[in-house]
Amino acid sequence: ADRGAVQANLTTCVQELGRGKSWEFRSVRKDGTVLRVRGSAKAVARVNGPILLIACEDITEQRRAEEALFHVGLEARVSERVRIAREMHDTLLQSFNGLMLRFQVVRDMLPARPEEALQALDGVLIMADQAITESRDAIQNLRSEAAAPLDLAHLLTIMGQELREAQDARGDAAAFRVRVEGRRQALAPMLQ
């Protein structure tokens, strides 16, 4: 299926002497295995005509790893949405359901016992204020958790210490150390 695109890219390289081109395509082995390939080509002028230099690299495993990371990220997003929904259900919706029931009680009391209804209404207003505070806290927690960057080196260090402590109990603790080389970079949100 990718043969036409490969041929077009090679033709373009010959037409644009000295200018290289890279692209990805699929290749099928004799056994039916499909490989993902990164091809690079460049045409060089020679006396007898251009020579086409072609290099191909098998990137099948790299693409599989990227697809796996994508699916892990997708699962993480779904998990986070479920957690947010649970948080909203456990805090916000329960508080508002309680308020609705209290308002109904006050409404039913109002014609027969207006003084008690006013006192009950004051209590409901206090509950509403608490629900608003609870809602703000829940929203703030969601915002701060999403924005907090992870320091991978720190997390690996903590995990290494926990493993070492577990091994210490058995008497065969291994040394563990994390060394960061180069400039620290933030993790992509999907990986985070």
Side-chain angles (χ1 to χ4, degrees), residues 31-67:
D31 67 359
T33 305
V34 177
L35 300 177
R36 296 294 307 255
V37 179
R38 179 180 296 122
S40 299
K42 183 176 183 177
V44 180
R46 295 284 188 226
V47 176
N48 299 341
I51 295 175
L52 190 59
L53 305 172
I54 302 171
C56 293
E57 177 187 6
D58 181 357
I59 58 169
T60 307
E61 290 305 316
Q62 179 183 345
R63 289 296 173 253
R64 281 188 190 139
E66 288 170 359
E67 289 171 9

Side-chain angles (χ1 to χ4, degrees), residues 109-153:
M109 261 196 216
L110 200 53
R113 302 179 313 217
E115 286 300 317
E116 280 184 62
L118 283 175
Q119 287 177 352
L121 187 57
D122 288 339
V124 173
L125 290 172
I126 290 170
M127 282 181 64
D129 190 45
Q130 290 171 345
I132 289 170
T133 301
E134 212 174 82
S135 301
R136 282 188 190 133
D137 291 347
I139 291 168
Q140 184 61 37
N141 287 341
L142 291 174
R143 284 183 182 159
S144 64
E145 287 175 16
L150 293 179
D151 181 9
L152 185 59

Side-chain angles (χ1 to χ4, degrees), residues 18 28 43 77-78 88 110 182:
V28 181
R77 281 191 298 246
V78 168
M88 289 179 73
L110 200 53

Side-chain angles (χ1 to χ4, degrees), residues 23 147-148 161:
W23 67 97
Q161 289 170 347

Side-chain angles (χ1 to χ4, degrees), residues 48-111:
N48 299 341
I51 295 175
L52 190 59
L53 305 172
I54 302 171
C56 293
E57 177 187 6
D58 181 357
I59 58 169
T60 307
E61 290 305 316
Q62 179 183 345
R63 289 296 173 253
R64 281 188 190 139
E66 288 170 359
E67 289 171 9
L69 281 175
F70 172 78
H71 290 295
V72 166
L74 186 61
E75 290 172 9
R77 281 191 298 246
V78 168
S79 174
E80 181 65 5
R81 286 182 179 182
V82 167
R83 186 187 71 76
I84 290 169
R86 189 177 305 118
E87 175 93 13
M88 289 179 73
H89 178 268
D90 291 349
T91 58
L92 305 176
L93 294 178
Q94 293 298 333
S95 295
F96 288 118
N97 281 332
L99 284 172
M100 293 302 293
L101 290 172
R102 294 286 180 108
F103 278 125
Q104 185 64 46
V105 167
V106 170
R107 184 180 179 274
D108 292 345
M109 261 196 216
L110 200 53

